[in-house]
Amino acid sequence: MTELVHLDVADGVATITLDSPHNRNALSAQLRGELLGHLDTAIADDAARVIVLTHTERVFCSGMDLTEARGAAASDQGVAEFPAILERIWSSPTPVLARVAGPARAGGVGLVAACDVAVVAEDATFAFSEVRIGVVPAVISVTVLPRLLPRAAHELFLTGETFDGHRAARIGLVNSAVPGFDLDAEVTRYAEMLRLGAPGALAATKELLRGDAPLDARFAEMQQLSARFFAGEEGQEGIRAFAEKRKPRWAQ
């Protein structure tokens, strides 16, 4: 089986690369498993002072793999495994930096929000597209809502509108939006700044920034809500419509 997520550690930086271009880096079962495994490996590696989450080709991450969600019961929906990935990034003692050169949708935006720092190309696009296919941005809300301005969260969660890197920076989703040709230099700049921090101090500071509210209960509640809608009537209709390249019945 061809690996869909790669890990490389060099010069104190662990680079985790999503490499599943055939489905726009969708969060398939294989990709989720490999991503979680590489996160665990990077976090446990004392040589890794910073973790960079990036991607190959054009798309950062298109969200859950809808081909796997079609026809599955709520208990079998892949979204049930997604909280573990978001929690691992969010609570990682090693700083995690997102490098986003292209579109991120739904769960992909959740990944960006979970990272400590996010650097994006100014023409990268983002959208909370869940409501347009009949599902709810429940699981990702746990990491996204602490980042976003409240008015922007209401607007973008409810409309599913696409927005660019500059707006993502204005509303707090990302730290920096730069021209594509400057993206790698900006990622390096942030990675070098993060490497200047003492590992123990960085881990303790991350804990301070998170506060003492456990995420487990919130993720469990949101996972059940999300899975229920993925398996529900509206969600299955939206997934079918997406696959058939038509409008769902409520939008006709």
Side-chain angles (χ1 to χ4, degrees):
M1 185 179 295
T2 302
E3 186 179 62
L4 301 182
V5 184
H6 314 303
L7 171 63
D8 177 70
V9 181
D11 300 323
V13 178
T15 302
I16 296 176
T17 305
L18 307 182
D19 185 19
S20 182
H22 72 280
N23 64 357
R24 301 184 303 159
N25 286 327
L27 294 160
S28 64
Q30 182 185 344
L31 188 143
R32 293 193 307 271
E34 292 179 7
L35 176 55
L36 187 58
H38 286 322
L39 284 167
D40 286 341
T41 300
I43 290 168
D45 189 347
D46 291 337
R49 301 286 306 283
V50 181
I51 298 170
V52 174
L53 179 61
T54 186
H55 61 106
T56 60
E57 300 201 19
R58 194 180 71 85
V59 177
F60 174 72
C61 177
S62 59
M64 297 305 299
D65 189 334
L66 297 183
T67 62
E68 295 180 350
R70 188 169 180 176
S75 59
D76 297 324
Q77 289 292 335
V79 71
E81 300 173 357
F82 196 37
I85 295 172
L86 297 181
E87 192 278 334
R88 194 76 88 252
I89 295 172
W90 187 269
S91 64
S92 165
T94 307
V96 184
L97 168 60
R99 175 196 173 276
V100 182
R105 298 290 184 270
V109 188
L111 290 175
V112 174
C115 295
D116 300 292
V117 176
V119 179
V120 307
E122 60 187 2
D123 59 353
T125 60
F126 306 83
F128 303 102
S129 50
E130 287 89 343
V131 293
R132 296 195 178 187
I133 62 165
V135 298
V136 178
V139 169
I140 68 168
S141 72
V142 180
T143 58
V144 170
L145 292 181
R147 308 294 193 198
L148 295 194
L149 296 173
R151 279 291 187 187
H154 278 248
E155 172 194 345
L156 297 170
F157 270 40
L158 293 172
T159 65
E161 182 183 19
T162 300
F163 55 100
D164 65 11
H166 285 303
R167 188 170 190 203
R170 289 198 304 272
I171 63 178
L173 178 63
V174 307
N175 298 84
S176 179
V178 298
F181 54 80
D182 286 333
L183 181 61
D184 288 332
E186 184 76 339
V187 169
T188 299
R189 185 176 76 87
Y190 271 102
E192 289 301 315
M193 288 193 291
L194 290 167
R195 286 180 60 193
L196 293 175
L202 286 169
T205 302
K206 281 200 59 173
E207 187 174 351
L208 176 153
L209 290 168
R210 290 195 303 269
D212 57 5
L215 295 184
D216 293 356
R218 185 65 174 160
F219 268 134
E221 178 186 359
M222 292 299 99
Q223 178 268 314
Q224 290 177 9
L225 174 62
S226 187
R228 178 160 57 86
F229 270 84
F230 265 99
E233 182 180 350
E234 288 182 344
Q236 288 297 305
E237 162 61 11
I239 291 168
R240 284 192 299 271
F242 181 83
E244 295 166 7
K245 295 181 172 55
R246 61 173 174 82
K247 289 183 178 180
R249 61 173 180 265
W250 63 78
Q252 294 176 0

